[in-house]
Amino acid sequence: MLCRVGVLVSGRGTNLQSIIDKSISGEIDAEVVVVISDNPKAQALNRARKVGIKALYLDPATEKPILVGGAEDKYLQVLKENQVDLVCLAGFMRVLKEKFISEYKWRIMNIHPALLPSFKGLHAQRQALNSGERFSGATVHFVTEDVDGGPIILQAVVPIYQDDTEESLSQRILKEEHRIYPECINLLAKGKIQIKDNKVIIGEING
Ligand code: GAR
């Protein structure tokens, strides 16, 4: 059975697009059933609507970078109504709180444009450039209350060149994001992910 995915977005939606594309082509055992944005102008909403996927703006009701109270309830209600199995944060620029996370325990993924646990938070690519590191990358992880700190599912590494700008590094990382996020969804959909001692184990699950 296809894994029913709900995607939370705030902006451009290129990760959403890669998930939709691989779902439509049958490369992953998942179907995007609803897209929700905290931003009515998010390009991501149009990407979903273009292919007939339900796409909603839900007022986050606060300027703060968190999702709380009534807004959290509204988001959960829509996800439940659409029988979502897995919630994917794809450029969703808000922090989820305890209630949301416990309702979808081990069924919320996030993508971050750095090799976590390095460079958590905003402007991860800029942080990597400023650090002088030679490599950065992308991380897909489960969402826990530890922001950007949940168990890592997959990572992809890219080089940092001396003449890189934030834009050029972001583009290199983004290409990897588009590859590994659908792959993680597919692993979960196929039942190949276990969590043991707060770490992700990938492979066939016996017994
Ligand atoms: C992506 O680079 C994603 O990793 C990042 O926002 C971008 C969204 O792009 N997410 C974060 O920084 C979360 N901390 P997209 O809307 O084109 O997918």
Side-chain angles (χ1 to χ4, degrees):
M1 219 169 60
L2 288 180
C3 176
R4 295 176 65 83
V5 179
V7 186
L8 270 48
V9 294
S10 297
R12 178 176 70 164
T14 65
N15 276 288
L16 168 69
Q17 190 71 57
S18 77
I19 297 165
I20 290 175
D21 290 348
K22 291 194 175 164
S23 150
I24 290 175
S25 68
E27 284 169 79
I28 61 175
D29 283 357
E31 179 188 6
V32 178
V33 293
V34 66
V35 173
I36 311 176
S37 177
D38 62 338
N39 166 16
K41 297 200 179 109
Q43 196 192 334
L45 290 172
N46 295 332
R47 291 178 187 271
R49 288 176 186 143
K50 216 168 160 181
V51 290
I53 296 170
K54 191 184 297 177
L56 308 169
Y57 158 66
L58 291 185
D59 188 351
T62 170
E63 288 297 305
K64 292 187 197 144
I66 49 173
L67 197 60
V68 282
E72 194 177 57
D73 290 340
K74 271 190 291 180
Y75 276 68
L76 280 170
Q77 188 189 334
V78 171
L79 293 168
K80 297 246 156 105
E81 278 169 6
N82 287 281
Q83 293 159 11
V84 163
D85 303 310
L86 171 69
V87 179
C88 290
L89 311 186
F92 184 64
M93 303 315 268
R94 285 178 194 268
V95 172
L96 302 178
K97 302 297 284 181
E98 183 196 50
K99 179 178 174 199
F100 195 116
I101 294 169
S102 61
E103 290 271 350
Y104 275 97
K105 191 155 167 73
W106 303 129
R107 288 186 297 140
I108 311 172
M109 290 181 184
N110 180 44
I111 185 137
H112 187 75
L115 294 174
L116 291 172
S118 293
F119 313 128
K120 296 177 177 181
L122 294 175
H123 310 299
Q125 302 94 333
R126 193 185 305 167
Q127 293 184 54
L129 273 179
N130 291 343
S131 77
E133 308 232 335
R134 300 299 187 209
F135 295 92
S136 188
T139 303
V140 179
H141 64 94
F142 281 112
V143 172
T144 63
E145 284 179 60
D146 180 7
V147 177
D148 292 333
I152 291 168
I153 306 167
L154 289 179
Q155 292 185 304
V157 179
V158 305
I160 299 178
Y161 300 122
Q162 300 204 37
D163 60 353
D164 261 331
T165 60
E166 202 174 331
E167 179 55 29
S168 63
L169 177 59
S170 298
Q171 283 306 322
R172 196 172 306 122
I173 293 173
L174 198 59
K175 206 164 156 232
E176 296 302 313
E177 294 185 36
H178 296 164
R179 186 174 64 78
I180 64 171
Y181 210 173
E183 199 176 331
C184 289
I185 295 169
N186 202 34
L187 286 169
L188 187 121
K190 286 185 180 301
K192 290 188 175 169
I193 292 183
Q194 280 183 83
I195 295 134
K196 242 187 202 160
D197 301 328
N198 227 36
K199 283 201 282 283
V200 168
I201 299 166
I202 295 172
E204 298 303 330
I205 295 171
N206 306 310

